[in-house]
Amino acid sequence: MPPTRTAEVIGAGLAGLTAATALAQRGWSVRLHERESEIRAIGAGIYVWGNGLATLEALGMYEEAAAGAHVGTALETRDHRDRTVEELPINGPGQARVLTIMRDHLIDTLIGGARRAGVEIRTGSEAVEATPDGRVLLRSGETARADAVLAADGVNSRIRRQYDVVARRAAIKQGATRLTVPRSAEFVPAADQGNYIEYFSGRRRVLYTPSSETNLYVALVADEDDRPASRIPIDTASWIRSFPHLEALLGACAGVAGRWDTFQFLTLTRWSMGRLAFLGDAAHAQPPYLGQGGGCAMMSALGLADALGDPSAPVDQRLRDWEYAERPTIEHTQRWSYRLGHLNNLPDAARSSLLRGSRLLPRLGASRMRAALTVPTGAGRFAGTSR
Ligand SMILES: Cc1cc2nc3c(=O)[nH]c(=O)nc-3n(C[C@H](O)[C@H](O)[C@H](O)COP(=O)(O)OP(=O)(O)OC[C@H]3O[C@@H](n4cnc5c(N)ncnc54)[C@H](O)[C@@H]3O)c2cc1C
């Protein structure tokens, strides 16, 4: 029998948990290192599109992750006067699939799946160095050697900083406060309550996202230098001035603990070196205008495990094959995500008419659909992403 192959995975976010589980399910012996004392979900809710859902199906975790999730029927964009300027039907036959899930539920599901697959999860275990020959140095002083080392340590990856691999890192100069409030019939008219709605006003956006039967995920998006907009707890009066029609919703956000994060865009010259690979936001962070950073991270992590599952070629070659297979789709999604950020640079009237009727609209819609319909290479028999 060939010796069991080993992997050290650094970072227990969506990318690290997915890669660790998928590798363990393929017979690898996997250790997952998380520097925090516990694995925490960052943010409130999350949009999981077809690629992320197909990944969960391939991992055998779809049913658990989807339990209690919200299934919207449309993705709407509203202008500064609360008029619908774009509407994308979802989750119907032949349409894109997307669920919204509370992040802590998604992360807990992935942790449970990782444990069941036999992943050894080590919290409070920070990696300080990793090398292309498969060596990992931990802050504790311990070193480990593995057939593959996966750096899934987020957009500010310490491991990546050891190497000159950043091709482009763009400052988006926007960010969002994410928070959760109890759902209420007062926030939006009855007909809209099950939809996902993105409201624009000036350079600000509000994202209305039911994420379970009882929880509403709210994202308040603004320029980094819009000080009142990035204040925590939120400056309710300032937000209501921009969105008077959302007074009840914004009032409910007053005093709620939230988290402000700025947006990132990152590409690398290469995703791997020898036995060391970068994945998730550490390799391909994108601003969240498409809600696809996590889906891409999970999809690509599954593809990586699939590529490594083939024992017929050396690890470095399999990692290069994985990058070759995944990179075009991920970079397509990153580019469109980046472009959608420019909608905030337009005056209200120009943005409304652009979204309502311009030639760009089919391209935006088509691009969202393509990103949503992306199928992870490792999803195998779960390749159907619309139903
Ligand atoms: C406002 C906002 C909204 C978003 N909305 C969506 C959405 O709706 N849908 C979607 O798909 N995506 C969304 N995203 C993007 C998504 O959250 C990220 O792409 C995804 O979480 C990245 O996962 P990751 O595992 O690569 O990185 P991370 O989630 O950053 O995980 C990295 C982990 O590594 C750990 N770590 C770091 N350094 C070390 C070390 N040296 N040793 C050990 N552990 C370490 C960290 O503690 C962390 O747990 C959004 C992002 C933002 C900012």
Side-chain angles (χ1 to χ4, degrees):
M1 228 168 75
T4 302
R5 289 158 296 168
T6 56
E8 300 283 332
V9 182
I10 302 165
L14 295 175
L17 281 162
T18 303
T21 304
L23 277 175
Q25 289 175 339
R26 285 157 180 75
W28 286 56
S29 168
V30 185
R31 279 205 306 190
L32 174 59
H33 301 274
E34 169 54 49
R35 73 174 168 195
E36 303 296 334
S37 55
E38 58 180 311
I39 301 173
R40 274 196 295 262
I42 291 177
I46 183 166
Y47 288 77
V48 184
W49 289 83
N51 52 352
L53 297 176
T55 304
L56 289 167
E57 283 164 346
L59 295 173
M61 297 183 203
Y62 174 81
E63 299 299 333
E64 190 180 340
H70 181 73
V71 188
T73 52
L75 200 70
E76 265 192 70
T77 308
R78 299 277 179 96
D79 72 3
H80 57 297
R81 295 200 186 136
D82 199 17
R83 295 172 303 195
T84 300
V85 288
E86 189 194 10
E87 187 165 356
L88 185 68
I90 48 175
N91 291 319
Q95 295 167 352
R97 289 171 68 194
V98 57
L99 298 186
T100 44
I101 304 178
M102 291 308 292
R103 283 206 187 229
D104 49 2
H105 176 63
L106 179 60
I107 288 287
D108 285 350
T109 301
L110 289 168
I111 294 171
R115 292 213 164 102
R116 282 194 299 280
V119 174
E120 182 192 340
I121 300 179
R122 285 194 175 187
T123 51
S125 180
E126 183 180 358
V128 291
E129 199 183 312
T131 55
D133 63 356
R135 197 174 57 86
V136 179
L137 174 62
L138 302 173
R139 179 159 300 284
S140 63
E142 191 187 336
T143 56
R145 261 190 193 283
D147 294 305
V149 177
L150 311 180
D153 50 343
V155 66
N156 296 316
S157 167
R158 175 188 180 122
I159 305 301
R160 188 193 63 226
R161 280 203 303 269
Q162 292 172 237
Y163 302 97
D164 183 20
V165 288
V166 173
R168 184 171 173 220
R169 187 159 187 177
I172 308 291
K173 298 195 169 141
Q174 278 199 326
T177 297
R178 287 175 283 176
L179 41 84
T180 309
V181 294
R183 284 177 71 175
S184 160
E186 289 173 8
F187 295 158
V188 294
D192 299 336
Q193 279 167 19
N195 289 352
Y196 304 124
I197 312 175
E198 186 170 38
Y199 297 88
F200 278 90
S201 176
R203 300 185 62 84
R204 295 179 175 181
R205 306 186 193 195
V206 172
L207 190 60
Y208 169 93
T209 310
S211 295
S212 75
E213 213 172 297
T214 51
N215 289 311
L216 182 74
Y217 155 42
V218 183
L220 305 173
V221 179
D223 290 344
E224 228 174 358
D225 58 9
D226 179 349
R227 295 280 167 236
S230 56
R231 238 170 249 150
I232 307 267
I234 71 157
D235 183 334
T236 317
S238 167
W239 278 97
I240 291 175
R241 270 196 297 281
S242 296
F243 298 92
H245 43 287
L246 296 179
E247 186 173 353
L249 169 63
L250 294 165
C253 297
V256 175
R259 181 191 156 98
W260 168 265
D261 287 286
T262 50
F263 300 161
Q264 311 275 338
F265 178 96
L266 174 86
T267 58
L268 303 188
T269 53
R270 55 200 291 197
W271 289 2
S272 70
M273 281 175 296
R275 296 174 182 275
L276 170 64
F278 304 102
L279 70 159
D281 276 9
H284 46 69
Q286 56 182 279
Y289 304 113
L290 276 176
Q292 264 289 356
C296 284
M298 292 168 70
M299 172 183 89
S300 155
L302 178 65
L304 184 152
D306 227 37
L308 285 176
D310 167 13
S312 63
V315 165
D316 57 343
Q317 186 185 321
R318 282 178 264 152
L319 290 176
R320 285 196 300 274
D321 291 346
W322 157 69
E323 176 179 346
Y324 186 78
E326 300 287 341
R327 198 164 172 138
T329 308
I330 300 260
E331 291 194 344
H332 165 85
T333 312
Q334 282 185 288
R335 270 194 303 278
W336 274 97
S337 223
Y338 184 78
R339 284 175 194 157
L340 284 170
H342 294 316
L343 286 174
N344 279 85
N345 300 334
L346 298 172
D348 283 326
R351 182 174 50 240
S352 299
S353 65
L354 179 78
L355 283 169
R356 216 183 285 118
S358 84
R359 280 178 295 129
L360 184 63
L361 182 58
R363 291 193 65 200
L364 288 180
S367 177
R368 285 194 201 196
M369 288 295 283
R370 184 169 153 197
L373 291 170
T374 299
V375 180
T377 50
R381 68 196 169 89
F382 300 103
T385 55
S386 60
R387 41 172 166 218

